[in-house]
Amino acid sequence: MTRLKEKLAKVKEQMGKLAVYEKQMLASPDQQISLTDPDSRSMATSGRGSGVVGYNVQVAVDTDHHLIITHEVTNSGSDRAQLANMARQAKNVLQTETLDAVADRGYFSSPEILACRDRQRQLAIQKPRRCSNNPRSRRLRNPDQLRRPERYQQSTPIKGVPFGL
């Protein structure tokens, strides 16, 4: 009987801790808390229903000197909304009017590409693979179907600032 009372007391203690965690979670803006690192957040990954608790670090590297020129730590699991911001930061650090940038397919986002192009930044960015039956995704498979394909295509390789390394 005493063993059962001990177990019940332990369960009540754990329930009290969980109630405190619930209050903290509901009070946070994104309704998340991390018990190991208060600043980290759950970020979606490519797996269905999976995620990782951590950070997403963005870097821009000067290809001539192989040095990191700027970085940013985010809680966003995707790089898609980071391209224009990182290009702007790199351009400011390098104190240049124009910037040539190379980015991996994780940065591919039409609004971000247009934002870079409108601000005197040349881009070389790989199109993402689309494996969906969604007609909108199929539309992006052919670069000739973009409204102004000449804005996205480079005729010669460029040297500049790579992202996503």
Side-chain angles (χ1 to χ4, degrees):
M1 193 69 163
T2 58
R3 186 153 165 83
L4 185 59
K5 287 182 181 180
E6 288 174 3
K7 285 185 177 183
L8 281 174
K10 191 171 186 172
V11 167
K12 285 181 181 180
E13 180 184 335
Q14 289 175 340
M15 292 296 290
K17 285 181 183 178
L18 290 175
V20 171
Y21 293 153
E22 181 182 30
K23 286 180 184 176
Q24 290 174 355
M25 181 189 70
L26 293 174
S28 70
D30 54 0
Q31 296 191 339
Q32 291 186 35
I33 60 169
S34 173
L35 302 178
T36 56
D37 184 354
D39 294 328
S40 66
R41 291 292 176 263
S42 177
M43 299 181 298
T45 60
S46 59
R48 182 174 238 167
S50 67
V52 64
V53 176
Y55 303 96
N56 186 353
V57 178
Q58 306 294 316
V59 296
V61 178
D62 180 347
T63 57
D64 291 334
H65 303 97
H66 304 284
L67 295 173
I68 295 173
I69 57 173
T70 188
H71 72 282
E72 185 166 328
V73 179
T74 69
N75 288 117
S76 172
S78 171
D79 295 333
R80 290 204 175 132
Q82 306 299 323
L83 182 63
N85 178 41
M86 290 306 295
R88 177 188 50 77
Q89 288 183 37
K91 190 174 167 184
N92 290 342
V93 168
L94 294 173
Q95 298 177 349
T96 182
E97 290 299 315
T98 61
L99 177 74
D100 295 340
V102 180
D104 65 32
R105 71 174 46 132
Y107 287 88
F108 190 91
S109 164
S110 296
E112 291 287 308
I113 292 169
L114 289 174
C116 288
R117 293 294 304 217
D118 293 343
R119 291 177 178 82
Q120 300 298 315
R121 298 177 190 124
Q122 296 293 316
L123 294 175
I125 188 166
Q126 188 176 14
K127 274 180 26 61
R129 287 180 241 144
R130 303 285 185 178
C131 300
S132 172
N133 289 331
N134 181 347
R136 187 166 183 234
S137 296
R138 278 186 271 153
R139 198 170 1 127
L140 292 175
R141 286 184 184 162
N142 184 353
D144 296 331
Q145 291 178 348
L146 292 172
R147 288 184 189 151
R148 293 179 279 182
E150 67 278 2
R151 293 191 73 172
Y152 300 93
Q153 296 173 353
Q154 286 291 117
S155 57
T156 59
I158 62 172
K159 194 173 185 182
V161 180
F163 299 102
L165 300 176

